[in-house]
Amino acid sequence: MWGAADGAGTDNNRVMAARPRDAERIEVRGVVQGVGFRPFVHRLATEAGLDGVVGNDAAGVFVEVSGPSERIDEFVARLRAEAPPLARVDDVIRGVGVPARHRGFRIVESSSTGPARTFVAPDTAVCDDCLAELDDPTDRRHRHPFITCTNCGPRFTIIRELPYDRPSTTMAPFAMCAACAAEYTDPANRRYHAQPICCHDCGPTLRYRPTGVDRDVAADPLAATLTEIDARGTVAVKGAGGYQLACDSTDDSAVGSLRARKQRPDKPFAVMVADLDEARRLAEISAAEAAQLCSPARPIVLLRARPTGALSDLVAPRTPMLGLMLPSTPMHHLLFALGAPPLVMTSGNVSGEPLAHLDADAFDRLGPLCDGFLFHDREIHEPCDDSVVRVAGEHLLPVRRARGFTPMPVPIGTGGRSVLATGGELKNTFCLAGAGQAVMSPHLGDMGNLPTIQAFERSVARFEQIYAITPDVVAVDPHPGYAATKWARAHHGDRIVEVQHHHAHIAAVMAEHECDPHTPVIGIAFDGTGYGDDGAIWGGEVLMADVDGYRRVAHLAPVDLPGGDAAIRNPWRVALSHLRTADIDWSDDIASVRCAAPGDLALLQHQLDRRVACVPTTSMGRLFDAVASLLDLRHEISYEAQAAIQLEMAAVDHADEHAYGFELRGSIIDQRPVIRAIVDDLRTQVPVGRIARRFHQAVADAVVEVAQRERSTGSTVALSGGVFQNALLVTLCAVSLERAGFTVLTHHLVPPNDGGLALGQAFVAAHRSEPVPSSSLGVGSSTTGPKPSTTNQEP
């Protein structure tokens, strides 16, 4: 397990024992391998005139140093203050050392003894120094597709085991040439001990082959790729963490063909552009959004599109949002240097399946989706998809946490159990936690198919091997239909701890902010679906929660969800259920009524009258869907959050201060007055955008009202759940709560959707005062009630 050395306390620079001041052993913990930390230590020690050695071990970086005591003190202070940009120093432990037997300072071979306690760094985008060399005809790495240094490039996706050294990575088969070896051993060189170092003479080889051909056919793989793209084809491109499907985003035929092949009728595609200037031509970009686009993580950033007509309308049908990303690998930069247009760059998979990352699997699974393959012979050991983020106000709001962020650890407080948390059904991630740190897996996908379950199982095994963790307990969602829960029960049945879905959401944001695990917060958990203690579908919940449990203090008034999954796919059905609950006739002047066939209306009426296949729900996500249908924005969806996104986009350009009013009656947040007011406004022809804004403000006002009522038990409010992917809503809630004097916690490290669920499960299971038996469904649990849908849709 991870942990500190014996005798360590909690100070930043901890003293292991009384020691002479002229010889020390220093242990550095955190993200300190694969980030240029040893060369950095070498430089600091050399500048200070200190003697000794630095090396990697399974716990992090160790330093044996000798010299004047005041110089050692200065050296230690600089270790933390001037750490390399990709490093994160969590702890510096100072102890008694052995005086150096030689003069000077050097890097020594790594030690692999002892349990793994260090962390793996994320992959990062190619740095500016490497890009300058890539573009320099006089440099020996000119146009080298795998150029890298200690400050950039692959890390997480190529490592097999710790400590992080070349033999432990997928670069092991590529022996360094003499020139690269000289740079690798030169303390003054930027590539000093850079494990992925290579060049044209000794690195991986880029290749191209058409689909269905079993040999490479192009002397210039990059040119062949662009030729295929120019011919309206799709090419599967092997990136750092897996395959991406690329085509010309300006061409309707190319984008339409990819949509049909990928079985993705409406969900927007991400677009990669050459640089920030090109991105600004396609979207409105704030300074905070530009910073995310240009960050080392190079995520997909969800932006407001400009109506330029430069891209095919099929890239993001019927939504003003556009996901843009900048090139992250040298290969991407080289494609744009050759004149590539803005490229659709989407995950290499059939929708719902895991990302393809192994060549043989990609040739098999992606062959029907593409016309050619641009690939190479460096193995991807751990797949990692592109991250997706938004900016809410000036703050990062993760939507999908993967490349560039994973597997950076999240501190969750010491003293707890080691935990494997298995996450949810959709947007699955898992979490491995021990000794106060939690490591989240990259986004794996939806667990409703066998390939994703198999990918989940392989990834869990790799994480447990790399980090040498055997979990004390395994945390799961209590939903009986979740594949991850079934897997956990089959493999770890005697160590299961159930964590209710919305409790886990609130615990996740508590963990991010390093809250005291035993101090309750007012948790606002708004999402599409979560298995409630009463067997109903929850999703509009207010919980007083800490790791030991929760009290459900308020929730949306329940309505019937007619047809379960059918209602989720058809927001008009949910809208009509809300109209019925609000005692509003289904008249033809309401869009949700007009869009339905007469036979469907009669069947739905019968279904609601008899409550046949109707599941009660308190879901805020479904309320957003219902309002989107009432406003004639979306009546059917083909991907998660489709209706809610259009409702948010309709609202953002309006600043109407008038809001509708939910009615707070005891523990019920009654939405019927809001539904009635919306229908009244529609009938008086109030603009749809203004109605959408009033609805958003009404939700924010209801959050503040219920928080005010609970203020006597806490003044910290945590916002979590998939509804809070809505940047407008999270901003309105946060601003209103802060004005009311509350401390507001929102997500900035993991997504508010189910992609962050595992962190909350781990936080609860690690710190809960007493383990909860696997039969328990949570505080105030009940096993009565109808079985909910197994599709955990979130807006």
Side-chain angles (χ1 to χ4, degrees):
M1 277 186 60
W2 304 316
D6 292 341
T10 58
D11 293 338
N12 286 344
N13 300 324
R14 298 184 291 179
V15 180
M16 296 172 67
R19 52 179 172 73
R21 298 286 288 171
D22 60 349
E24 292 190 24
R25 178 180 173 88
I26 301 166
E27 298 173 4
V28 188
R29 304 284 187 261
V31 182
V32 291
Q33 293 191 13
V35 293
F37 204 85
R38 288 176 299 172
F40 158 73
V41 171
H42 182 281
R43 177 176 62 80
L44 292 189
T46 301
E47 290 175 1
L50 300 174
D51 301 324
V53 298
V54 61
N56 283 342
D57 60 18
V61 168
F62 66 89
V63 184
E64 296 281 358
V65 64
S66 297
S69 60
E70 65 275 9
R71 292 188 184 181
I72 295 177
D73 288 342
E74 180 184 358
F75 166 78
V76 170
R78 294 179 70 189
L79 285 177
R80 186 185 294 274
E82 301 176 22
L86 302 183
R88 194 186 85 184
V89 177
D90 292 334
D91 213 355
V92 179
I93 307 167
R94 301 175 68 172
V96 175
V98 177
R101 297 183 183 139
H102 56 81
R103 298 303 300 271
F105 199 89
R106 59 193 177 94
I107 295 177
V108 297
E109 291 295 320
S110 297
S111 167
S112 59
T113 60
R117 299 190 186 110
T118 194
F119 304 100
V120 180
D123 289 13
T124 58
V126 58
C127 68
D128 290 343
D129 289 334
C130 285
L131 282 178
E133 295 170 343
L134 186 72
D135 194 44
D136 182 357
T138 67
D139 193 275
R140 72 186 192 89
R141 290 189 177 85
H142 176 53
R143 300 191 73 241
H144 178 48
F146 305 96
I147 190 170
T148 185
C149 70
T150 55
N151 298 320
C152 68
R155 299 292 190 272
F156 171 66
T157 55
I158 64 171
I159 191 167
R160 296 184 185 275
E161 59 184 2
L162 294 173
Y164 176 74
D165 284 304
R166 195 180 184 98
S168 301
T169 73
T170 59
M171 284 299 294
F174 303 96
M176 281 183 274
C177 66
C180 285
E183 293 173 324
Y184 184 85
T185 55
D186 178 4
N189 194 283
R190 194 174 84 255
R191 295 186 172 89
Y192 185 43
H193 278 257
Q195 306 309 325
I197 184 176
C198 61
C199 68
H200 291 288
D201 295 330
C202 64
T205 302
L206 202 60
R207 301 171 177 175
Y208 180 85
R209 67 175 58 170
T211 298
V213 176
D214 60 1
R215 67 185 189 282
D216 308 337
V217 299
D220 187 339
L222 293 167
T225 297
L226 285 186
T227 297
E228 186 59 61
I229 288 173
D230 288 343
R232 299 178 174 177
T234 295
V235 176
V237 177
K238 186 178 180 180
Y243 277 83
Q244 301 163 304
L245 295 170
C247 73
D248 185 349
S249 67
T250 68
D251 189 281
D252 285 348
S253 176
V255 179
S257 174
L258 179 55
R259 283 206 174 278
R261 289 163 141 184
K262 195 171 163 68
Q263 302 172 38
R264 184 166 163 165
D266 296 309
K267 189 175 183 179
F269 285 135
V271 174
M272 181 180 284
V273 295
D275 53 36
L276 185 59
D277 288 340
E278 179 67 19
R280 291 189 191 280
R281 283 190 281 272
L282 298 176
E284 299 172 8
I285 301 176
S286 68
E289 289 165 336
Q292 290 302 321
L293 280 168
C294 298
S295 71
R298 287 295 196 280
I300 298 166
V301 182
L302 302 182
L303 304 161
R304 187 75 181 272
R306 295 184 186 277
T308 63
L311 302 182
S312 166
D313 290 340
L314 298 177
V315 168
R318 290 189 61 188
T319 175
M321 288 187 71
L322 179 63
L324 291 183
M325 61 194 303
L326 300 185
S328 58
T329 71
M331 180 176 60
H332 293 138
H333 282 279
L334 291 171
L335 284 171
F336 286 108
L338 291 175
L343 295 172
V344 165
M345 198 67 77
T346 188
S347 303
N349 58 3
V350 175
S351 293
E353 291 188 357
L355 180 70
H357 70 287
L358 300 175
D359 295 339
D361 178 53
F363 296 154
D364 179 47
R365 283 203 290 137
L366 303 185
L369 310 185
C370 67
D371 303 290
F373 291 86
L374 178 64
F375 66 109
H376 53 78
D377 53 354
R378 183 179 70 201
E379 180 188 348
I380 298 170
H381 187 65
E382 185 69 34
C384 195
D385 212 336
D386 297 315
S387 292
V388 182
V389 305
R390 298 190 71 180
V391 171
E394 296 298 311
H395 304 292
L396 175 67
L397 179 62
V399 176
R400 183 170 75 193
R401 189 177 193 261
R403 179 182 52 77
F405 297 98
T406 299
M408 286 293 282
V410 179
I412 61 169
T414 58
R417 306 169 189 88
S418 60
V419 181
L420 169 63
T422 59
E425 187 76 357
L426 300 185
K427 296 183 173 68
N428 180 267
T429 62
F430 65 85
C431 179
L432 195 62
Q437 300 284 347
V439 179
M440 296 285 290
S441 77
H443 167 85
L444 293 172
D446 300 344
M447 295 288 282
N449 59 76
L450 182 60
T452 305
I453 295 171
Q454 292 170 333
F456 168 90
E457 193 166 28
R458 288 191 298 269
S459 195
V460 167
R462 282 195 287 261
F463 268 57
E464 290 182 347
Q465 178 261 324
I466 287 176
Y467 295 111
I469 284 284
T470 300
D472 298 325
V473 294
V474 178
V476 303
D477 190 292
H479 194 302
Y482 279 11
T485 300
K486 291 179 179 178
W487 177 89
R489 292 196 186 284
H491 292 82
H492 304 280
D494 60 339
R495 291 182 283 158
I496 298 296
V497 172
E498 292 182 344
V499 183
Q500 196 276 333
H501 189 89
H502 301 96
H503 187 197
H505 272 310
I506 299 307
V509 74
M510 289 177 67
E512 281 195 37
H513 290 268
E514 301 185 52
C515 294
D516 178 349
H518 304 289
T519 298
V521 301
I522 303 168
I524 313 295
F526 288 169
D527 64 0
T529 300
Y531 188 46
D533 290 346
D534 55 2
I537 296 177
W538 291 6
E541 311 306 311
V542 182
L543 311 176
M544 287 300 304
D546 61 16
V547 298
D548 294 313
Y550 62 90
R551 180 167 53 89
R552 190 187 189 199
V553 298
H555 56 83
L556 276 183
V559 298
D560 283 333
L561 191 64
D565 288 354
I568 292 170
R569 293 189 298 269
N570 295 276
W572 67 269
R573 297 172 68 96
V574 188
L576 295 187
S577 183
H578 273 283
L579 290 175
R580 179 188 172 94
T581 303
D583 299 319
I584 298 173
D585 291 337
W586 292 357
S587 57
D588 287 343
D589 64 336
I590 299 174
S592 304
V593 178
R594 291 196 307 271
C595 77
D600 291 339
L601 285 175
L603 180 61
L604 186 65
Q605 182 76 51
H606 176 78
Q607 194 173 4
L608 290 170
D609 285 344
R610 301 291 182 89
R611 302 200 71 229
V612 176
C614 287
V615 181
T617 181
T618 59
S619 169
M620 181 64 78
R622 299 289 78 82
L623 179 59
F624 269 74
D625 286 352
V627 173
S629 177
L630 291 173
L631 300 190
D632 203 16
L633 295 172
R634 196 81 207 183
H635 303 297
E636 299 177 354
I637 65 169
S638 63
Y639 64 90
E640 231 185 332
Q642 189 172 9
I645 288 170
Q646 291 187 226
L647 183 62
E648 178 190 357
M649 291 298 100
V652 292
D653 289 332
H654 294 266
D656 196 318
E657 294 182 2
H658 166 73
Y660 308 124
F662 288 81
E663 184 180 349
L664 186 58
R665 296 182 291 103
S667 64
I668 300 297
I669 304 169
D670 190 350
Q671 62 269 32
R672 291 178 300 173
V674 173
I675 297 294
R676 293 170 186 143
I678 287 173
V679 172
D680 287 345
D681 274 357
L682 285 169
R683 286 172 171 164
T684 56
Q685 298 183 341
V686 174
V688 164
R690 181 167 293 175
I691 297 173
R693 181 61 177 239
R694 289 175 176 177
F695 172 71
H696 278 76
Q697 188 63 59
V699 175
D701 290 349
V703 166
V704 175
E705 183 179 359
V706 73
Q708 291 276 32
R709 194 185 69 177
E710 301 300 323
R711 187 189 287 272
S712 62
T713 54
S715 60
T716 298
V717 179
L719 307 178
S720 191
V723 169
F724 288 111
Q725 290 177 161
N726 182 318
L728 173 61
L729 180 66
V730 75
T731 300
L732 289 174
C733 288
V735 168
S736 298
L737 286 164
E738 287 170 352
R739 284 176 180 166
F742 290 96
T743 299
V744 183
L745 310 181
T746 60
H747 284 279
H748 61 280
L749 296 179
V750 302
N753 60 47
D754 280 8
L757 206 63
L759 177 62
Q761 293 171 346
F763 189 59
V764 169
H767 294 294
R768 184 175 276 169
S769 298
E770 294 294 335
V772 175
S774 61
S775 61
S776 173
L777 295 180
V779 175
S781 64
S782 170
T783 57
T784 62
K787 180 179 178 181
S789 161
T790 58
T791 301
N792 180 26
Q793 291 276 355
E794 292 203 10

